[in-house]
Amino acid sequence: MASRYDLICNVNGGSEHKIWRIKVRVIRLWRSSYFKDNNNKPMIELVVLDEQGGRIQCTVKSIHVYLFENSINEGNVYMLENLSVALNSGKYKPTMHEFRMFFKRETRVTLVEDSSIPLYGFSFVPFVEILNETKDDRRLVDVLGVVTGKGNLIEIKKEGKPCNYVVIELENIEGGLKLRCTLWEDYAFMFLKHLEDHPSESYVVVLQFAEMKNFKGSVGVSNTTYNSKLFINANIHEIEDFQMRLKSSDSQQGIQFSQLSDHASLTLEEEFLERGVYKSIADLKEVTQNSVFVTIGTVKDIESEYNWCYRACKKCSLGLKLDGSMFYCKKCVTHYSTFVTRYSIQLHVVDETDSASFILFDKEASNFLKIPAYELRTSYIAKGGDKNRHPEEIDSFKDKKFLFKVQVKIQDMESIVPYVISISRLCFEDNIIASFEKKYQIEEVALIQDNSELLSQFTESSDLLKDNLSVSCDNGVDTPSPLLPTGKTASNMDSSVIKVLDVDLAEYCGNASFDTPSKCKGEMHSEQTIVRVAVHGDEQSAKKLRKVIKEEKN
C-alpha cells in the first residue's frame, strides 16, 4: 500500500496536533541573513511544490541549519515529515498560501524519486492583473514574455554602495500588453551576457518569484535579492511553447527590440536637477572611461557631412548593411527585406568652455521634432530633397539651448577624438534650464573664467597693463601700445581680423583680467578715460567679450 501524505492545499493552522507529511519538490532554495546573528548561520528558505501544483514556503531556522543544510538541494523531491505551521506573514510572499511551514529538530527528510512533480511549478500572472494592481501587494509573481526593449546598464548608489540595474520591456502575445521589468545586479549581468553570447531574433524571458513595484503610478516587476530565478530562451516547456505561439501569431512581425531610455521613471527635474552629475563640455572631453553625465549647451550647427537618419534593424535597432537586395544585421545575424528609419543627427554643441559633436538618436529627436524619422524621410524624398543635405525641419535645433544627458563612450585613447558623445535625454523647457543654470552658477562660472585668462596669456600681469596704459596717457599722444602688434593700432587694423571695444578705464583696470579664446590687445586714448580693446578672431569671440564687459560694468 502506498505511503500516505498530505497535499499542500490542505495544510492549515488548526488546533489539532497533526503531524504533517508532504511529498514535494524543492523549486527554490536560498539563504536569508535577515535574522542572522554572530553565533548562527543564515536561515534556509525553501519554496516547495507538490504533484497538484500547490506551493508553500518552508523555513529552516538558524538554530536548526546544521541539521539540514547537507540534506536538502534545489530540484530534488523529498518526503518531509513533522513540520510546524504558522501564518504566512513575511515581508515577501513567494506563495499565496495562507500558511508557511517550519522545520523542527524532529523533522524527517527523505529523498525520493518522483517524476510526477513538475521541475519548476510556474504560476504565471497575467500582465493585465499586474498592471491593474493598486494596493501594496508584497506577493511574488511569475511572469513570461518576449523582450521588446532594453535600457542601458545603470549604476547608482544605495546606502553609499554602488548598485547596477538594467530595465527591459516584456510583451505578452494575446493582449499586446507591455510590462516594465527591472533586473538588479547579478540578474542584470546575466541578462546582458546572454544577449552578448547568444544573438537571437527574439528573447523569451521567465522571471520567477518577481516582486511587483508601483513607482509613480506605473506598475512593473523586478527581481528580489534572494528569491527570484531568471530564464532566458531556456529549453523548458513553457518558453518553447511561448516561442511557438509567438512565431504563429500576427504580432511576430510587429515586435521590435528597441533601446529604452534610461529615464523611464524620472521626471526632467529629477534627471537634471537632482540626480545628474554635471560636467562642462571641456570636462566631458577629458573623460577617460565610459560615463554618463548631464551638461548644458547651445546647438550651433547641424553637421551635414553625416547622415541625419539610418536604416535600422526592426529587432535590435542596429544599423543595417546593404547586401544585394537585402539588409543584413550583424547582431541578429539575419537578412531582412525591409528596415526601420531612425534618426541619427550629429549636433555641434557649444558652451562657455568648449564645443563638441553630440549624436542625437531616434526617441529624443522624434520627441523634439514631433515627427517620426520615416515620415520626415518620406516627405523629404517626395519634395526632391538633396540626399547630401538634411530637411529644413532639423534646423529647428540650431541656436537653441538644451540640457543634455549624455553618454561618453571611449573608443580609442590614441586617436585625435577618442570618444563618442551620444544624447540619451534632451530637455528644452526654459524653467528647468534656468534652474539648472542657477544651481551650477553657469553664468558666474563663465565670467570667472572670462576674467582669468585673457590678459594673463599676453601680459605678465595686470600691473604691466596699467603701466603701459599710463605711458600712453602721460605722453598725450595716440601712440602704438606695446600690447598691440608692432606698427598697428586698434584703429588701423582690418575689421575682418579685429573687433574694437571701448571699456571704461576704471572698470578695465579694476578687474584682474578678461578671458576670450581669441587674442586680445589694448590701447588708451589720452583724451578719453577709456580702454580700446582689440579682439582678434571671429564675430563670436567679439560678442563674447562684449557680453563680459557689459555684465562686468553692470
Side-chain angles (χ1 to χ4, degrees):
M1 181 177 177
S3 177
R4 293 180 59 85
Y5 50 86
D6 301 293
L7 294 175
I8 288 176
C9 63
N10 294 326
V11 172
N12 64 75
S15 58
E16 70 276 10
H17 297 284
K18 179 179 177 64
I19 297 177
W20 294 101
R21 193 167 188 262
I22 57 176
K23 185 174 70 171
V24 293
R25 185 185 299 276
V26 179
I27 61 172
R28 192 66 175 122
L29 182 152
W30 70 96
R31 300 273 185 145
S32 173
S33 58
Y34 188 74
F35 295 108
K36 180 182 176 182
D37 59 42
N38 294 329
N39 300 317
N40 293 299
K41 295 182 178 182
M43 296 187 299
I44 298 176
E45 299 285 0
L46 315 169
V47 176
V48 299
L49 175 78
D50 69 11
E51 60 194 43
Q52 291 194 356
R55 302 198 304 190
I56 194 167
Q57 181 178 356
C58 299
T59 301
V60 181
K61 294 181 179 180
S62 296
I63 58 174
H64 295 143
V65 165
Y66 76 97
L67 294 171
F68 301 104
E69 61 183 339
N70 297 320
S71 304
I72 308 172
N73 292 295
E74 186 173 307
N76 289 342
V77 177
Y78 299 94
M79 190 72 73
L80 305 180
E81 187 175 359
N82 198 3
L83 296 93
S84 62
V85 177
L87 286 173
N88 184 17
S89 58
K91 179 180 180 181
Y92 296 109
K93 297 180 179 180
T95 79
M96 290 304 295
H97 203 290
E98 182 182 0
F99 299 96
R100 60 188 296 184
M101 307 186 82
F102 287 87
F103 282 60
K104 301 187 295 183
R105 184 180 297 275
E106 300 80 17
T107 298
R108 295 177 60 186
V109 178
T110 306
L111 178 66
V112 298
E113 295 291 335
D114 193 332
S115 59
S116 66
I117 303 178
L119 287 175
Y120 306 107
F122 297 120
S123 180
F124 296 116
V125 177
F127 283 12
V128 64
E129 182 177 332
I130 297 174
L131 294 170
N132 290 334
E133 187 64 57
T134 57
K135 63 180 183 299
D136 186 17
D137 195 334
R138 307 300 279 181
R139 62 173 171 152
L140 303 182
V141 298
D142 300 346
V143 295
L144 166 68
V146 61
V147 179
T148 56
K150 177 189 76 67
N152 295 305
L153 182 68
I154 303 298
E155 180 179 307
I156 62 173
K157 285 191 175 182
K158 279 190 171 183
E159 299 177 354
K161 298 180 179 180
C163 188
N164 297 275
Y165 73 91
V166 64
V167 174
I168 63 174
E169 182 182 73
L170 301 179
E171 183 174 327
N172 61 8
I173 298 177
E174 294 78 8
L177 295 175
K178 293 186 177 183
L179 183 69
R180 174 186 169 93
C181 175
T182 305
L183 301 176
W184 293 89
E185 289 297 298
D186 291 345
Y187 296 83
F189 297 129
M190 174 183 172
F191 176 80
L192 295 175
K193 181 170 176 54
H194 185 95
L195 263 60
E196 181 179 346
D197 294 344
H198 305 283
S200 175
E201 287 190 10
S202 62
Y203 298 92
V204 177
V205 165
V206 169
L207 185 61
Q208 190 176 28
F209 304 120
E211 178 188 6
M212 288 189 288
K213 286 284 192 179
N214 190 325
F215 186 76
K216 296 187 176 180
S218 178
V219 181
V221 297
S222 71
N223 65 275
T224 63
T225 304
Y226 304 110
N227 315 73
S228 304
K229 293 182 72 174
L230 179 65
F231 303 83
I232 310 166
N233 283 359
N235 296 323
I236 59 177
H237 170 72
E238 291 80 2
I239 286 182
E240 291 174 345
D241 178 67
F242 188 97
Q243 290 171 328
M244 291 296 295
R245 290 186 289 127
L246 184 64
K247 290 179 180 179
S248 62
S249 70
D250 294 335
S251 64
Q252 168 69 6
Q253 297 298 320
I255 293 177
Q256 297 184 16
F257 191 97
S258 60
Q259 180 71 24
L260 300 179
S261 60
D262 302 332
H263 55 270
S265 300
L266 299 179
T267 64
L268 287 169
E269 290 87 349
E270 291 171 329
E271 188 80 86
F272 291 100
L273 301 179
E274 297 177 19
R275 301 198 181 188
V277 177
Y278 166 66
K279 282 190 180 295
S280 67
I281 292 179
D283 290 335
L284 290 177
K285 295 168 76 170
E286 296 298 322
V287 170
T288 58
Q289 60 183 2
N290 295 347
S291 309
V292 177
F293 299 104
V294 295
T295 192
I296 185 171
T298 300
V299 176
K300 297 307 295 181
D301 203 2
I302 311 298
E303 298 181 354
S304 298
E305 61 267 32
Y306 302 98
N307 292 328
W308 60 273
C309 64
Y310 70 103
R311 295 183 294 240
C313 174
K314 63 181 181 179
K315 296 292 184 183
C316 68
S317 300
L318 194 70
L320 298 175
K321 181 180 180 181
L322 185 62
D323 186 10
S325 60
M326 301 288 285
F327 302 97
Y328 179 72
C329 176
K330 66 179 182 180
K331 181 175 181 180
C332 298
V333 196
T334 305
H335 283 84
Y336 297 99
S337 59
T338 60
F339 60 85
V340 178
T341 302
R342 293 184 178 274
Y343 286 112
S344 176
I345 305 172
Q346 200 98 356
L347 306 176
H348 190 72
V349 183
V350 301
D351 69 0
E352 297 291 340
T353 67
D354 209 334
S355 65
S357 294
F358 290 6
I359 304 176
L360 180 65
F361 288 108
D362 193 70
K363 184 178 179 64
E364 294 300 314
S366 299
N367 184 43
F368 179 77
L369 295 171
K370 306 301 182 185
I371 181 172
Y374 74 89
E375 286 188 16
L376 185 56
R377 178 176 177 271
T378 301
S379 173
Y380 188 60
I381 292 174
K383 295 176 183 177
D386 185 349
K387 67 178 183 180
N388 295 319
R389 298 183 60 82
H390 57 262
E392 61 181 11
E393 288 86 346
I394 292 180
D395 284 330
S396 59
F397 285 103
K398 293 176 66 173
D399 297 319
K400 187 170 182 62
K401 183 182 290 186
F402 296 92
L403 296 178
F404 305 92
K405 181 179 180 181
V406 296
Q407 292 179 302
V408 183
K409 185 176 182 180
I410 304 301
Q411 292 189 320
D412 181 5
M413 290 302 296
E414 301 301 321
S415 65
I416 297 176
V417 181
Y419 52 81
V420 172
I421 302 176
S422 59
I423 301 166
S424 58
R425 195 172 193 185
L426 199 64
C427 174
F428 42 90
E429 294 187 14
D430 292 339
N431 61 320
I432 299 178
I433 293 174
S435 297
F436 187 92
E437 290 178 323
K438 181 178 180 180
K439 177 178 179 179
Y440 293 105
Q441 300 180 321
I442 302 297
E443 292 298 330
E444 293 180 29
V445 171
L447 290 175
I448 291 171
Q449 292 174 338
D450 285 336
N451 287 339
S452 65
E453 296 178 11
L454 176 69
L455 294 181
S456 63
Q457 292 177 354
F458 306 106
T459 68
E460 292 296 324
S461 67
S462 58
D463 290 335
L464 176 60
L465 170 65
K466 295 177 183 179
D467 292 341
N468 285 313
L469 291 172
S470 299
V471 170
S472 298
C473 185
D474 292 340
N475 290 339
V477 294
D478 188 10
T479 58
S481 167
L483 298 180
L484 288 175
T486 304
K488 291 189 178 183
T489 65
S491 58
N492 64 20
M493 295 183 70
D494 190 331
S495 61
S496 65
V497 178
I498 192 167
K499 304 296 177 182
V500 180
L501 305 174
D502 290 343
V503 188
D504 184 271
L505 175 60
E507 295 282 353
Y508 190 74
C509 293
N511 292 311
S513 56
F514 290 97
D515 168 48
T516 179
S518 301
K519 296 180 179 180
C520 174
K521 311 294 180 181
E523 64 170 334
M524 178 66 193
H525 278 215
S526 58
E527 65 272 21
Q528 293 179 310
T529 57
I530 63 166
V531 176
R532 178 156 291 177
V533 180
V535 183
H536 298 254
D538 55 18
E539 181 65 39
Q540 182 180 341
S541 297
K543 287 181 178 179
K544 178 178 178 181
L545 185 57
R546 190 178 288 113
K547 175 183 176 183
V548 172
I549 294 166
K550 180 179 178 181
E551 294 199 27
E552 285 293 328
K553 292 180 71 174
N554 292 334

